Amino acid sequence: MKKGDIILIGIGVALLAFAIVFILVRPKAVYVAVYEDGVLMDRYPLNKDTEVTIRTKDGHWNVMQIKDGTLNVIEADCPNQICVNTVPVTKTGESILCLPHKISFILEQ
Ligand SMILES: [Zn+2]
């Protein structure tokens, strides 16, 4: 193996390690931002356990739960229940969406 090859492999390994560390230490989110149709409705701190019923303009609802820094949608009256079946999220940039209600719960910092 030539010296150049070893350097290239070294750079590749370093980049891979960097990518893994970046994914692992992705910062914990600080609050949940709730959007209706792209408009920010409210923000809730992730460090305070709570259960909030989000009501849409046309009278539908989603029950959002914050527990141990994790966001979950535990109940909703939407037809597809995708938001309820979405796994709980904890990290910045992750989200739970309710398309029928045009509601997005997005973890932000
Ligand atoms: Zn839904």
Side-chain angles (χ1 to χ4, degrees):
M1 226 187 304
K2 279 183 292 187
K3 205 176 174 185
D5 293 341
I6 295 170
I7 292 171
L8 274 182
I9 291 168
I11 291 172
V13 170
L15 282 178
L16 191 67
F18 181 78
I20 290 169
V21 167
F22 183 76
I23 290 164
L24 288 180
V25 301
R26 195 143 52 117
K28 275 212 149 212
V30 176
Y31 60 85
V32 181
V34 181
Y35 294 87
E36 179 176 10
D37 211 0
V39 179
L40 182 66
M41 295 168 80
D42 221 332
R43 282 177 174 156
Y44 302 89
L46 257 188
N47 59 5
K48 208 171 137 234
D49 290 1
T50 186
E51 251 181 55
V52 187
T53 302
I54 309 290
R55 292 190 186 279
T56 68
K57 285 188 208 105
D58 37 2
H60 292 290
W61 51 269
N62 295 64
V63 181
M64 165 190 101
Q65 181 193 62
I66 296 172
K67 204 175 169 218
D68 302 326
T70 300
L71 163 70
N72 198 8
V73 173
I74 52 174
E75 248 181 279
D77 70 341
C78 62
N80 63 13
Q81 296 288 297
I82 286 176
C83 53
V84 177
N85 292 320
T86 302
V87 290
V89 292
T90 57
K91 290 187 174 137
T92 303
E94 291 181 325
S95 59
I96 296 179
L97 307 176
C98 184
L99 293 180
H101 294 173
K102 294 182 184 153
I103 298 278
S104 4
F105 303 87
I106 302 178
L107 297 187
E108 295 181 349
Q109 270 203 310

